Each structure stands twice: as C-alpha cells, then as structure tokens.
Amino acid sequence: MEKKIRPPRTIHKLTKLHDIYVNIDSFNSKVKKLKNGCWEWQGAKHRQGYGMVGAWRVKDGKKLMTTVHRLIARLKYKRPIRSNEHVLHTCSNMACVNPDH
C-alpha cells in the first residue's frame, strides 16, 4: 500500500489549480523577465531545457513534477491541460514561461 504524501500546510502558501496544488510565491521568485519579452525560468530544468516545478495532486496528495510552461497554460486557460495536448513556445526558448510566448 502506497503511503499518501500530504502537501505542506504551514511552510508554503499553496494555490489550487484545478487538480494540483502549487506554490505560486516560490514560482514567481524564479522568473526573470528579459528585454526580448521572454520570462526565463531560473529554477530547476529538465535535461531538454524546460522549467520544472513540484506540485501535489489534489485527489491523493501525491507529489509530482510538471513543466512550468504547462503550469502557465493552466493559469492562462483556467483549466487542466490534458496529457495529449501540446503547449508550444512561439519564441523557441524552452526556459520561457511567458504565457504570450
């Protein structure tokens, strides 16, 4: 039987985004706005250059990692992004998290 992991309650301020919880305050501190309009992720990155962030599933509290640009798409479109949906960068900067890019 897998042990359920609960999101931290008092350490971080968590925001519910449909089916996951994330720490938006921590997220905002890891974005650097560049002159070319890109918002470059300064935190952890996937080996392909995509920004990565920790989150917790609402249904069972299990910790997971997700790409930051997909998290931004959740915020922009106000809904979960299905696994078969692609979120593309028009600027070709894999570390960019600007929702308009």
Side-chain angles (χ1 to χ4, degrees):
M1 182 172 184
E2 189 174 333
K3 182 180 174 184
K4 288 186 180 180
I5 300 170
R6 299 195 191 284
R9 293 180 297 156
T10 57
I11 299 171
H12 301 292
K13 179 182 176 186
L14 298 177
T15 301
K16 184 178 178 182
L17 295 177
H18 312 288
D19 59 340
I20 63 171
Y21 292 106
V22 296
N23 182 342
I24 295 293
D25 292 337
S26 174
F27 170 85
N28 288 331
S29 71
K30 294 179 181 163
V31 175
K32 180 179 179 182
K33 294 186 179 179
L34 305 178
K35 291 180 181 179
N36 66 1
C38 286
W39 298 357
E40 201 163 84
W41 181 251
Q42 302 297 301
K45 292 182 184 157
H46 186 275
R47 68 178 177 267
Q48 294 173 327
Y50 293 101
M52 299 295 293
V53 67
W56 292 266
R57 274 197 311 231
V58 169
K59 71 178 181 180
D60 62 5
K62 186 172 181 176
K63 178 130 181 166
L64 56 96
M65 294 295 287
T66 186
T67 55
V68 181
H69 68 285
R70 290 182 70 83
L71 178 72
I72 290 292
R74 286 172 173 266
L75 289 167
K76 181 176 181 175
Y77 299 114
K78 298 177 174 61
R79 65 173 179 82
I81 304 301
R82 295 184 307 268
S83 60
N84 65 344
E85 290 183 284
H86 297 282
V87 178
L88 304 174
H89 294 91
T90 58
C91 63
S92 298
N93 178 357
M94 299 307 169
C96 182
V97 296
N98 184 335
D100 296 326
H101 282 199

